[in-house]
Amino acid sequence: MLGKNAGGLFWMFRYIERAENIARLLEAGWHIALTRSNGGANEWQSILTTAGINAAYREKYSEYDAATVINFLLRDRSNPSCVMSAIEAARTNARQVRTALSGEVWEAVNDCWMTLKSTLARPVTERNLYDTLSTIRHGTSVVRGALHGTMLRNDIYAFSRLGTFIERADNTARILDVKYYVLLPSAAFVGTTIDNAQWEVILRSVSAERSYHWLNGGDVSPYGIAEFLILDRRMPRSLAFCYSKIGQYLELLEQEYGQRQDSQIQSDRICMRLRGASVPSIFEDGLHEFLRDFIADTSRLANHIETDFRFYR
């Protein structure tokens, strides 16, 4: 496995996951904006802030209206992080490492790109936003399904899954942050009906509402949902689950190549920190601060993994 092929696989699946998570973040903000009488301008801005592209948006637009933000996130070519750009980047990486992929994975990526190229050829309105987001999630899910069903569990698979879980951990943290720190109107709303309703929106945005209620019944609380999405290792989009998988695939690479890399050491430290954390302590120290540090640590880990690619020969 050449380092450039490892990087191609890693970024291919980062981009696939990014496209889906942009759709999930947009859905979360959109649902909350629908509950606001002022049109949700602050919510649209907060989505861009959480995605890290508010500055790029402000360079082109001065107002935060639904139609403009939706199209900037989904199809505006001046935004390199929009869904269409992410899917095109995933396809480009897939073409570069095509000999490492099964035919089914390549076909799934190519089909996803063709479908979204057609779907996003025209402006997306709030009226057809739900269907468009569903199409994005379906296309990316098919790619993951092809990977699961047709690829050997070797280094190729490990690099692919590392890309998925690095991106997913980052985005779950950002979706939590957009809810609690940016979207909540005031600290006075914590624990009220509007607060709990917004937490339920976050659960739906990560396809976790039913799973949460299976485990917790009707007990919906910020503490319960934060614990579920941060620390519950059974939840496939929780921070703890993502890092358990990152550690698993870095260990597979250690066994494959006989070398323990710096990225594995850093991943183990983050895993230990999550195992030792509790929701009361996280809230006491500040949920936003915890998430901000987690996002920074995940970014550093991603850089370490890319640096370590040079060792894979």
Side-chain angles (χ1 to χ4, degrees), residues 183-205:
L183 288 184
L184 192 64
S186 161
F189 286 93
V190 175
T192 64
T193 301
I194 185 172
D195 183 48
N196 290 340
Q198 291 180 7
W199 279 100
E200 291 239 34
V201 168
I202 300 305
L203 283 176
R204 289 197 296 272
S205 74

Side-chain angles (χ1 to χ4, degrees), residues 232-304:
D232 196 320
R233 296 164 69 89
R234 298 166 295 180
M235 168 56 192
R237 291 189 175 273
S238 76
L239 307 188
F241 182 93
C242 289
Y243 265 87
S244 71
K245 291 299 181 181
I246 290 169
Q248 174 186 331
Y249 292 115
L250 287 173
E251 184 177 350
L252 187 154
L253 291 173
E254 179 188 4
Q255 295 170 356
E256 186 86 9
Y257 291 92
Q259 283 185 299
R260 182 177 178 83
Q261 306 295 350
D262 290 342
S263 55
Q264 192 170 358
I265 296 171
Q266 184 174 348
S267 171
D268 289 346
R269 288 173 181 163
I270 297 172
C271 282
M272 289 180 63
R273 195 178 312 138
L274 286 169
R275 290 193 190 102
S278 68
V279 169
S281 66
I282 290 172
F283 273 75
E284 182 177 348
D285 295 336
L287 179 60
H288 169 64
E289 288 73 19
F290 173 86
L291 294 170
R292 179 193 59 198
D293 292 344
F294 179 88
I295 291 168
D297 286 342
T298 299
S299 178
R300 282 191 289 269
L301 176 59
N303 291 334
H304 273 294

Side-chain angles (χ1 to χ4, degrees), residues 58-258:
R58 293 291 292 176
E59 289 179 2
K60 190 172 181 180
Y61 305 105
S62 59
E63 301 293 331
Y64 295 99
D65 62 276
T68 306
V69 173
I70 288 169
N71 280 279
F72 189 74
L73 285 166
L74 295 182
R75 58 186 295 275
D76 192 326
R77 298 309 179 108
S78 67
N79 173 19
S81 295
C82 75
V83 167
M84 196 65 235
S85 295
I87 291 298
E88 287 185 342
R91 182 176 181 267
T92 298
N93 279 277
R95 289 182 66 182
Q96 292 172 352
V97 297
R98 189 169 175 177
T99 56
L101 302 172
S102 67
E104 286 86 346
V105 173
W106 163 251
E107 289 171 6
V109 174
N110 199 46
D111 287 347
C112 181
W113 171 76
M114 290 190 296
T115 299
L116 291 181
K117 186 178 181 181
S118 174
T119 301
L120 298 177
R122 296 166 298 280
V124 179
T125 65
E126 287 192 79
R127 177 173 297 180
N128 63 356
L129 179 60
Y130 179 82
D131 290 338
T132 301
L133 297 179
S134 296
T135 299
I136 295 167
R137 290 197 303 269
H138 174 76
T140 55
S141 296
V142 170
V143 175
R144 283 199 306 273
L147 179 80
H148 283 302
T150 66
M151 295 290 291
L152 290 172
R153 270 41 176 182
N154 56 7
D155 53 349
I156 294 173
Y157 187 82
F159 292 126
S160 302
R161 298 302 280 160
L162 281 171
T164 294
F165 286 111
I166 284 286
E167 192 70 25
R168 184 177 296 179
D170 177 82
N171 278 277
T172 296
R174 289 178 183 275
I175 286 176
L176 280 168
D177 198 36
V178 77
K179 155 61 187 75
Y180 199 78
Y181 182 73
V182 187
L183 288 184
L184 192 64
S186 161
F189 286 93
V190 175
T192 64
T193 301
I194 185 172
D195 183 48
N196 290 340
Q198 291 180 7
W199 279 100
E200 291 239 34
V201 168
I202 300 305
L203 283 176
R204 289 197 296 272
S205 74
V206 294
S207 300
E209 185 180 25
R210 181 169 296 182
S211 298
Y212 178 84
H213 287 298
W214 279 341
L215 295 174
N216 298 278
D219 182 18
V220 178
S221 68
Y223 276 77
I225 295 173
E227 182 170 21
F228 188 56
L229 295 183
I230 295 173
L231 301 177
D232 196 320
R233 296 164 69 89
R234 298 166 295 180
M235 168 56 192
R237 291 189 175 273
S238 76
L239 307 188
F241 182 93
C242 289
Y243 265 87
S244 71
K245 291 299 181 181
I246 290 169
Q248 174 186 331
Y249 292 115
L250 287 173
E251 184 177 350
L252 187 154
L253 291 173
E254 179 188 4
Q255 295 170 356
E256 186 86 9
Y257 291 92

